[in-house]
């Protein structure tokens, strides 16, 4: 994998708001620290952390149109809640704009919001890093979760999945609402 980090950073600074870019850097930082702890390739963690939200700047219509244009499959839930598509679109951008071919990195980007059964260590790290990076303040016991993130990857993943369930709630219209 030969990816120009400076090219990625320029792209992100152009596409993301200052707040989203700050979050992205926090995820990359946290993911690389966790990768050191859990013997995962640091460069892969950095790239996946940087690119995890590379499509988050798109509004709902743009996300839907992007998926149609590039024939990316969408579930009915994703069609009703297009913000869920940013991981799938981000994986596509990572492959086609930045030449990322490592399946583990692509899967980490694709699944960082929803997770999936049988996630690799890198996928778990990106999923968790997205919740615990330094600028996040999602719940009162975040400090304990951050400590756990460097002790037991599977246990902290369970906590983050519970957090995800509380953030993505079903409203009366059957749409999923994002809490962030």
């Amino acid at each position: 994998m030969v990816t120009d980090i400076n090219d990625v950073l320029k792209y992100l600074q152009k596409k993301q708001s200052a707040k989203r870019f700050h979050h992205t850097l926090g995820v990359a930082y946290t993911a690389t620290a966790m990768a050191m702890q859990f013997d995962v390739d640091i460069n892969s963690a950095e790239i996946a952390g940087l690119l995890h939200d590379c499509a988050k700047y798109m509004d709902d219509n743009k996300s839907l149109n992007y998926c149609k244009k590039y024939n990316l499959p969408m579930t009915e839930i994703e069609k009703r809640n297009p913000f869920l598509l940013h991981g799938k679109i981000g994986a596509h951008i990572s492959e086609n704009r930045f030449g990322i071919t490592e399946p583990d990195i692509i899967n980490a980007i694709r699944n960082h919001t929803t997770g999936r059964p049988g996630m690799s260590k890198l996928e778990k790290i990106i999923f968790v890093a997205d919740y615990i990076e330094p600028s996040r303040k999602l719940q009162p016991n975040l400090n304990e979760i951050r400590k756990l993130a460097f002790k037991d990857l599977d246990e902290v993943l369970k906590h983050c999945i519970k957090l995800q369930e509380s953030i993505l709630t079903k409203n009366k219209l059957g749409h999923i609402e994002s809490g962030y």
Side-chain angles (χ1 to χ4, degrees), residues 69-87:
K69 179 178 179 178
Y70 293 103
N71 297 313
L72 301 179
M74 294 180 281
T75 66
E76 287 304 315
I77 290 173
E78 290 169 333
K79 287 176 185 175
R80 289 193 311 268
N81 304 281
F83 73 90
L84 292 171
L85 293 168
H86 77 274

Side-chain angles (χ1 to χ4, degrees), residues 116-135:
R116 70 178 181 98
M119 291 194 309
S120 70
K121 281 186 188 178
L122 179 61
E123 288 175 275
K124 293 174 185 180
I125 286 170
I126 299 303
F127 190 95
V128 171
D130 192 24
Y131 287 99
I132 68 165
E133 61 91 3
S135 68

